Amino acid sequence: MKKTVKYVVSVLAVVSLLMTSLVLVSFAASPKITMSTGTTSNNQTEVIITVSKGSDLATFQAAVKYETDKVKLMSVEYLSGDKNVSNTDTEGVALVNDVWLESINDKTDIIRLVFSGTSDAETTFTLEDIVATDSNDKTISFKQPVTVKTKVKANTPDQATDPANTTPAADGSSSGNSNIPGGSTNGTSPNTGRIIASAAGICGAAAAAAAVVVVLKKKGKED
């Protein structure tokens, strides 16, 4: 009887360890994209896109959607990445594209968007149409859409410029709207990267905005 009890206890212990391992593996294999909001020094609203630890993120493309009757997009800034480009021609949508010469695995803020409020209101920002790959060119399945709600305040004309985004765009960065600064990079744009423009429909809208698909030869592949 005692041997049977010990056997059962041992089996349960092994099963428990296996289940814990499976949960940990599942968690590690599910990288996340999150969005957070904040207020700049001139009372504008910033939206920051962050990738979780262990993502092995090498390329990232997505659409940031916002309510045009409540906010106006002022700037798009890339906080991480070696090659990037934005398209903001379609009101209510900012298409962002970022690529890394060497994939990132730490929790990292990757993109910052700044908005000016047109009225005092609560508004929602949505991140969707996410297409991302890892260092082996395999698709990363981020859970989407990602949404965040926040309260914004109307900005006066003298608050129209966000001082953190007046620096000219780095080489390889551009914006579909000449009034909005292009993304900034860390100055190490790879020679092996190439940017291919393509058409992308935004949520079934009749008008299509020009999107960008970024293709980069990853480290460790043939030269």
Side-chain angles (χ1 to χ4, degrees), residues 5-218:
V5 173
K6 288 182 178 180
Y7 176 76
V8 172
V9 171
S10 298
V11 170
L12 290 175
V14 171
V15 170
S16 178
L17 287 173
L18 288 174
M19 292 299 293
T20 301
S21 298
L22 288 173
V23 170
L24 290 175
V25 169
S26 176
F27 178 78
S30 303
K32 296 180 180 179
I33 287 289
T34 57
M35 288 199 302
S36 59
T37 61
T39 304
T40 68
S41 59
N42 54 359
N43 292 320
Q44 292 182 324
T45 299
E46 64 177 9
V47 176
I48 296 178
I49 301 172
T50 305
V51 65
S52 66
K53 184 177 181 179
S55 65
D56 189 27
L57 183 63
T59 68
F60 180 82
Q61 176 177 312
V64 180
K65 301 182 180 180
Y66 56 95
E67 298 175 287
T68 56
D69 59 329
K70 297 177 181 178
V71 294
K72 177 182 179 182
L73 178 62
M74 302 303 294
S75 63
V76 179
E77 178 187 7
Y78 291 83
L79 307 176
S80 174
D82 301 297
K83 197 84 170 181
N84 50 64
V85 66
S86 306
N87 186 295
T88 58
D89 283 342
T90 302
E91 286 193 7
V93 181
L95 295 174
V96 294
N97 303 266
D98 209 355
V99 63
W100 289 260
L101 178 60
E102 188 170 348
S103 63
I104 54 175
N105 268 300
D106 292 328
K107 182 179 179 180
T108 306
D109 294 337
I110 57 176
I111 303 171
R112 174 180 181 258
L113 301 95
V114 174
F115 297 86
S116 177
T118 58
S119 62
D120 293 348
E122 182 176 73
T123 189
T124 301
F125 298 98
T126 304
L127 181 69
E128 55 186 68
D129 302 330
I130 300 174
V131 178
T133 59
D134 62 18
S135 58
N136 294 310
D137 291 326
K138 292 183 178 179
T139 300
I140 302 176
S141 298
F142 289 114
K143 184 178 180 180
Q144 56 179 309
V146 180
T147 61
V148 62
K149 290 184 178 181
T150 189
K151 291 183 179 180
V152 296
K153 292 187 176 181
N155 294 116
T156 57
D158 61 344
Q159 295 176 320
T161 303
D162 174 24
N165 289 278
T166 55
T167 304
D171 182 42
S173 301
S174 64
S175 172
N177 188 331
S178 59
N179 295 322
I180 298 177
S184 60
T185 72
N186 62 7
T188 57
S189 300
N191 294 325
T192 55
R194 62 190 176 91
I195 299 178
I196 302 175
S198 64
I202 303 300
C203 266
V212 176
V213 177
V214 184
V215 180
L216 180 69
K217 185 172 69 174
K218 306 297 186 307

